[in-house]
Amino acid sequence: MESLPDVPRVVQLPDGTYTYANNLPAPPQQPHSGPQVIHQHVHQAPPDRTVQRIALGSGIGAGTVAAGVYFGPLLVGVLTAMAANLALLALIAAVCAWGVVTVVRSVGGEDGKRAADTVRRSRRR
């Protein structure tokens, strides 16, 4: 018996209608003469969903929008990883080329210098 919820009381309003006591309008508040305290809650802005709103408004299905939401960041991640790998390969190729040129110049000796001079002269003609 004690676990039953309280039943709201029914009251008769001055105009003759009946209503529950918890539906009555709140009594008017007395004006406060002290300083007004404003509680401001600052929240992070929600993510921008402009593309999804435009897509849904243009008539494409929600599945397409969901795929864009899922695969969009995935595609950016894959392209970033590919770009990083290509940059690393380019760096390795540049270092290897520099090493080969340095070794050939140092080991070339007189024959290498004469060959370079011959190539240089043939280009001038």
Side-chain angles (χ1 to χ4, degrees), residues 108-122:
E110 286 297 320
D111 292 336
K113 289 179 184 174
R114 270 186 272 146
D117 287 338
T118 305
V119 170
R120 194 176 306 123
R121 286 186 199 136
S122 65

Side-chain angles (χ1 to χ4, degrees), residues 30-123:
Q30 296 296 328
H32 183 66
S33 62
Q36 184 179 7
V37 179
I38 299 174
H39 296 280
Q40 182 177 7
H41 300 277
V42 179
H43 299 280
Q44 182 179 359
D48 186 19
R49 300 278 187 220
T50 305
V51 174
Q52 286 81 8
R53 288 189 188 111
I54 291 171
L56 285 175
S58 65
I60 65 172
T64 307
V65 174
V69 169
Y70 179 78
F71 288 114
L74 194 64
L75 179 65
V76 170
V78 167
L79 292 176
T80 304
M82 288 172 56
N85 287 338
L86 288 175
L88 183 63
L89 288 174
L91 178 66
I92 291 171
V95 169
C96 288
W98 174 79
V100 167
V101 168
T102 304
V103 168
V104 168
R105 281 186 182 167
S106 65
V107 174
E110 286 297 320
D111 292 336
K113 289 179 184 174
R114 270 186 272 146
D117 287 338
T118 305
V119 170
R120 194 176 306 123
R121 286 186 199 136
S122 65
R123 287 187 183 169

